[in-house]
Amino acid sequence: MNISKETIKKLEELGYNVWGRKGYKTTNKGLSYRQAENLVVVLETNDDLKIKDVKTPKEKEVTVEWVLSKIDKESSYKNLSQYLREAFEYSISIYPASYGIGVHTLGGYKMAANEVAVKLQELGLKYRNEFSDAAWVYRFIISQDKNNMKILESL
C-alpha cells in the first residue's frame, strides 16, 4: 500500500492505532507498509473497542481522509443476517451472515451452494460469490441496493 509516515502519525493523533497486514503477516512483525494489502484501524475508548480491517488500493495513496471515509462507510454497513434468518435456517453447512449467506466448504459445498443460489434467485436477490481468505467458506455476498433491501425487509 502507498501510505506515508505522516498519514500514520495523523491517524494516531486522532486516537487510532493502525498497522498494515498481508495475510497473517503484519507491519508490527517486519512486513513493510509497501507490501501490506490491508490497513487495520483500531479505536479504543473507555468501554468499547472498534476494529476495522480495510482493503487498500495498490497504487493510490492512502490518506487520512480516505481511511476516515472507509471507517464511516463500514459503520453504515447493514447486518443482513437478521433478514436472511427468515429464508435460511442455520445448518452445519449453510448459515446467514452479516454479508449474506456462508456455505462451509469442508466435505464438498457445491450441492449446498446450488441450493442457496436457487433460493436467492427465487427471492430475486442480487449477489456475488467469493471464497473466504482460507477458502473454508463460500460466500454469497448480497447487494445492499434499494431493491434488495426492499426484498429483505419483506421476508
Side-chain angles (χ1 to χ4, degrees), residues 77 99-101 126-130 139-143:
Y77 185 82
Y99 55 81
I101 301 293
K126 291 181 253 174
Y127 63 91
R128 65 181 171 83
N129 296 104
E130 69 181 20
R139 297 176 178 152
F140 287 81
I141 310 295
I142 297 178
S143 169

Side-chain angles (χ1 to χ4, degrees), residues 30-45:
L31 182 73
S32 73
Y33 275 98
R34 179 54 82 186
Q35 295 170 313
E37 296 175 348
N38 289 49
L39 185 68
V40 180
V41 183
V42 180
L43 179 61
E44 188 173 353
T45 60

Side-chain angles (χ1 to χ4, degrees), residues 62-75:
V62 175
T63 63
V64 172
E65 294 77 19
W66 184 89
V67 172
L68 294 178
S69 75
K70 291 299 179 183
I71 292 171
D72 288 342
K73 182 179 178 185
E74 291 289 323
S75 66

Side-chain angles (χ1 to χ4, degrees), residues 3-66:
I3 188 170
S4 70
K5 291 179 182 178
E6 292 80 23
T7 297
I8 295 168
K9 184 178 178 194
K10 287 178 187 175
L11 288 166
E12 289 173 347
E13 288 171 357
L14 290 171
Y16 296 100
N17 186 5
V18 297
W19 64 86
R21 167 183 89 71
K22 181 177 182 180
Y24 294 108
K25 295 181 180 179
T26 66
T27 53
N28 301 7
K29 303 285 185 193
L31 182 73
S32 73
Y33 275 98
R34 179 54 82 186
Q35 295 170 313
E37 296 175 348
N38 289 49
L39 185 68
V40 180
V41 183
V42 180
L43 179 61
E44 188 173 353
T45 60
N46 292 340
D47 57 345
D48 197 16
L49 179 68
K50 294 181 181 178
I51 303 172
K52 300 292 181 189
D53 189 326
V54 184
K55 180 87 171 155
T56 58
K58 292 182 181 179
E59 298 300 322
K60 179 182 172 187
E61 183 177 0
V62 175
T63 63
V64 172
E65 294 77 19
W66 184 89

